[in-house]
Amino acid sequence: MTRKSYYILLVTMLFSPTILATTIYKWVDENGVTHYSQQVPPEKQSEKLYSEDIEQKKVGFVAPKVKAVSEPEKSDLELAAQEISKKDKAQASAICDNAKHQLNVLETHTRLTRKNKDSDEPVRMTEEERQSEISAQKEKIRLFCKK
């Protein structure tokens, strides 16, 4: 055997998977946790694995699983609006027109008053109330005004 072939044989043996193989012990503790180790676990029943028999998983990015897109459940207001739109198109159109008018007033005027429910006296609207009413009118427009 020549010196060159001796070195080739030596390098081949060094990088052979069987030489690099190790024994791995697998066991489950009393809490149900699975453990892997190269040392025999003390007083535990273990399964003997060999590293060359374990199939390696690909390393890298794992694509997320796509969840099925479902229809969002409709709120009571949406169901009521749908029912009104089916039964009475004229009423739905009137609600739409009224909501558009109210939104226009709320967005163009900042100093608004409304009657007090108890005494029928005018009471100034706060900015929070105005913004809340703007949101409510936009929701009515979304529900009743068909494009």
Side-chain angles (χ1 to χ4, degrees):
M1 188 185 269
T2 66
R3 192 171 239 194
K4 185 176 182 181
S5 58
Y6 175 73
Y7 286 124
I8 291 174
L9 180 63
L10 182 64
V11 169
T12 305
M13 286 177 51
L14 284 174
F15 292 106
S16 171
T18 56
I19 292 175
L20 297 174
T22 58
T23 304
I24 300 171
Y25 298 95
K26 173 183 171 183
W27 74 95
V28 180
D29 67 9
E30 58 277 351
N31 295 326
V33 178
T34 304
H35 297 272
Y36 296 91
S37 176
Q38 290 181 339
Q39 283 112 22
V40 180
E43 302 174 12
K44 296 279 183 187
Q45 184 177 355
S46 63
E47 179 183 347
K48 198 178 215 183
L49 305 171
Y50 297 98
S51 62
E52 70 268 10
D53 295 336
I54 298 173
E55 186 178 324
Q56 294 183 358
K57 302 290 184 194
K58 292 183 178 179
V59 177
F61 177 75
V62 177
K65 295 180 182 176
V66 178
K67 293 182 180 179
V69 178
S70 61
E71 280 283 319
E73 291 188 28
K74 293 185 178 182
S75 68
D76 292 338
L77 185 61
E78 288 175 317
L79 293 173
Q82 191 176 26
E83 191 66 30
I84 290 171
S85 296
K86 280 183 186 177
K87 287 184 177 179
D88 193 354
K89 300 269 185 209
Q91 183 183 4
S93 177
I95 292 171
C96 172
D97 292 340
N98 186 25
K100 284 180 180 179
H101 174 73
Q102 291 293 331
L103 180 63
N104 183 30
V105 170
L106 288 163
E107 289 182 333
T108 56
H109 302 293
T110 56
R111 300 187 73 164
L112 298 170
T113 57
R114 61 172 47 174
K115 288 185 181 179
N116 187 342
K117 293 177 186 175
D118 299 328
S119 63
D120 287 339
E121 293 180 14
V123 177
R124 184 158 181 230
M125 232 177 154
T126 66
E127 183 60 24
E128 290 81 18
E129 291 172 330
R130 189 175 80 85
Q131 290 301 323
S132 175
E133 274 300 312
I134 288 173
S135 297
Q137 297 307 321
K138 285 182 178 179
E139 182 66 11
K140 283 183 183 178
I141 290 170
R142 183 184 72 79
L143 294 172
F144 289 101
C145 300
K146 303 298 177 194
K147 295 179 181 178

